[in-house]
mmCIF file of all heavy atoms in Angstrom:
data_model
loop_
_atom_site.group_PDB
_atom_site.id
_atom_site.type_symbol
_atom_site.label_atom_id
_atom_site.label_comp_id
_atom_site.label_asym_id
_atom_site.label_seq_id
_atom_site.Cartn_x
_atom_site.Cartn_y
_atom_site.Cartn_z
ATOM 1 N N ARG B 380 -27.089 -65.183 43.833
ATOM 2 C CA ARG B 380 -25.781 -64.975 43.206
ATOM 3 C C ARG B 380 -24.883 -64.258 44.199
ATOM 4 O O ARG B 380 -25.289 -63.267 44.809
ATOM 5 C CB ARG B 380 -25.997 -64.108 41.968
ATOM 6 C CG ARG B 380 -24.738 -63.642 41.293
ATOM 7 C CD ARG B 380 -25.154 -62.925 40.017
ATOM 8 N NE ARG B 380 -23.995 -62.508 39.246
ATOM 9 C CZ ARG B 380 -24.061 -62.135 37.975
ATOM 10 N NH1 ARG B 380 -25.219 -62.135 37.348
ATOM 11 N NH2 ARG B 380 -22.975 -61.769 37.329
ATOM 12 N N GLU B 381 -23.680 -64.777 44.358
ATOM 13 C CA GLU B 381 -22.688 -64.112 45.201
ATOM 14 C C GLU B 381 -22.234 -62.875 44.447
ATOM 15 O O GLU B 381 -21.839 -62.975 43.284
ATOM 16 C CB GLU B 381 -21.457 -64.995 45.277
ATOM 17 C CG GLU B 381 -21.131 -65.808 46.498
ATOM 18 C CD GLU B 381 -20.781 -65.103 47.767
ATOM 19 O OE1 GLU B 381 -19.650 -64.638 47.921
ATOM 20 O OE2 GLU B 381 -21.663 -65.067 48.640
ATOM 21 N N HIS B 382 -22.338 -61.744 45.085
ATOM 22 C CA HIS B 382 -21.806 -60.545 44.407
ATOM 23 C C HIS B 382 -21.162 -59.627 45.431
ATOM 24 O O HIS B 382 -21.799 -59.215 46.403
ATOM 25 C CB HIS B 382 -22.919 -59.803 43.660
ATOM 26 C CG HIS B 382 -22.501 -58.429 43.216
ATOM 27 N ND1 HIS B 382 -21.477 -58.234 42.328
ATOM 28 C CD2 HIS B 382 -22.942 -57.192 43.575
ATOM 29 C CE1 HIS B 382 -21.308 -56.916 42.156
ATOM 30 N NE2 HIS B 382 -22.181 -56.267 42.903
ATOM 31 N N ASP B 383 -19.905 -59.325 45.194
ATOM 32 C CA ASP B 383 -19.176 -58.432 46.099
ATOM 33 C C ASP B 383 -19.497 -56.987 45.715
ATOM 34 O O ASP B 383 -19.131 -56.540 44.629
ATOM 35 C CB ASP B 383 -17.676 -58.701 45.955
ATOM 36 C CG ASP B 383 -16.861 -57.788 46.864
ATOM 37 O OD1 ASP B 383 -17.455 -56.915 47.544
ATOM 38 O OD2 ASP B 383 -15.615 -57.932 46.877
ATOM 39 N N PRO B 384 -20.167 -56.232 46.608
ATOM 40 C CA PRO B 384 -20.565 -54.863 46.252
ATOM 41 C C PRO B 384 -19.382 -53.942 45.983
ATOM 42 O O PRO B 384 -19.584 -52.828 45.507
ATOM 43 C CB PRO B 384 -21.349 -54.377 47.478
ATOM 44 C CG PRO B 384 -21.637 -55.586 48.293
ATOM 45 C CD PRO B 384 -20.602 -56.601 47.958
ATOM 46 N N ALA B 385 -18.174 -54.416 46.266
ATOM 47 C CA ALA B 385 -17.019 -53.565 45.974
ATOM 48 C C ALA B 385 -16.676 -53.614 44.487
ATOM 49 O O ALA B 385 -15.931 -52.764 43.986
ATOM 50 C CB ALA B 385 -15.818 -54.015 46.800
ATOM 51 N N ASN B 386 -17.228 -54.592 43.784
ATOM 52 C CA ASN B 386 -16.842 -54.815 42.391
ATOM 53 C C ASN B 386 -17.755 -54.031 41.445
ATOM 54 O O ASN B 386 -18.842 -54.460 41.077
ATOM 55 C CB ASN B 386 -16.922 -56.318 42.101
ATOM 56 C CG ASN B 386 -16.376 -56.647 40.723
ATOM 57 O OD1 ASN B 386 -16.298 -55.786 39.842
ATOM 58 N ND2 ASN B 386 -15.989 -57.894 40.544
ATOM 59 N N ILE B 387 -17.272 -52.889 41.008
ATOM 60 C CA ILE B 387 -18.151 -52.015 40.213
ATOM 61 C C ILE B 387 -18.386 -52.559 38.805
ATOM 62 O O ILE B 387 -19.469 -52.398 38.248
ATOM 63 C CB ILE B 387 -17.637 -50.551 40.174
ATOM 64 C CG1 ILE B 387 -18.750 -49.641 39.604
ATOM 65 C CG2 ILE B 387 -16.375 -50.415 39.354
ATOM 66 C CD1 ILE B 387 -18.633 -48.205 39.960
ATOM 67 N N ASP B 388 -17.394 -53.226 38.246
ATOM 68 C CA ASP B 388 -17.585 -53.758 36.891
ATOM 69 C C ASP B 388 -18.677 -54.807 36.885
ATOM 70 O O ASP B 388 -19.572 -54.807 36.043
ATOM 71 C CB ASP B 388 -16.282 -54.363 36.366
ATOM 72 C CG ASP B 388 -15.217 -53.285 36.217
ATOM 73 O OD1 ASP B 388 -15.597 -52.135 35.895
ATOM 74 O OD2 ASP B 388 -14.032 -53.575 36.442
ATOM 75 N N ARG B 389 -18.604 -55.703 37.878
ATOM 76 C CA ARG B 389 -19.631 -56.735 37.982
ATOM 77 C C ARG B 389 -20.982 -56.075 38.286
ATOM 78 O O ARG B 389 -22.014 -56.469 37.748
ATOM 79 C CB ARG B 389 -19.223 -57.719 39.087
ATOM 80 C CG ARG B 389 -20.098 -58.952 39.228
ATOM 81 C CD ARG B 389 -20.177 -59.787 37.942
ATOM 82 N NE ARG B 389 -18.885 -60.080 37.347
ATOM 83 C CZ ARG B 389 -18.050 -61.045 37.747
ATOM 84 N NH1 ARG B 389 -18.380 -61.830 38.746
ATOM 85 N NH2 ARG B 389 -16.883 -61.241 37.150
ATOM 86 N N ALA B 390 -20.942 -55.024 39.116
ATOM 87 C CA ALA B 390 -22.191 -54.327 39.460
ATOM 88 C C ALA B 390 -22.856 -53.783 38.201
ATOM 89 O O ALA B 390 -24.067 -53.891 38.016
ATOM 90 C CB ALA B 390 -21.906 -53.188 40.437
ATOM 91 N N ARG B 391 -22.060 -53.238 37.327
ATOM 92 C CA ARG B 391 -22.624 -52.675 36.089
ATOM 93 C C ARG B 391 -23.218 -53.775 35.216
ATOM 94 O O ARG B 391 -24.251 -53.583 34.578
ATOM 95 C CB ARG B 391 -21.552 -51.906 35.326
ATOM 96 C CG ARG B 391 -21.225 -50.583 36.011
ATOM 97 C CD ARG B 391 -20.173 -49.793 35.253
ATOM 98 N NE ARG B 391 -19.967 -48.504 35.922
ATOM 99 C CZ ARG B 391 -18.784 -47.921 36.065
ATOM 100 N NH1 ARG B 391 -17.695 -48.496 35.588
ATOM 101 N NH2 ARG B 391 -18.674 -46.760 36.675
ATOM 102 N N GLU B 392 -22.536 -54.909 35.205
ATOM 103 C CA GLU B 392 -23.045 -56.038 34.431
ATOM 104 C C GLU B 392 -24.411 -56.469 34.972
ATOM 105 O O GLU B 392 -25.368 -56.634 34.223
ATOM 106 C CB GLU B 392 -22.093 -57.217 34.646
ATOM 107 C CG GLU B 392 -21.481 -57.817 33.412
ATOM 108 C CD GLU B 392 -20.377 -58.764 33.864
ATOM 109 O OE1 GLU B 392 -20.709 -59.818 34.456
ATOM 110 O OE2 GLU B 392 -19.188 -58.419 33.687
#
Side-chain angles (χ1 to χ4, degrees):
Chain B
R380 172 174 184 165
E381 255 294 281
H382 167 62
D383 179 356
N386 187 339
I387 193 158
D388 296 327
R389 187 58 49 80
R391 287 181 177 141
E392 237 169 69

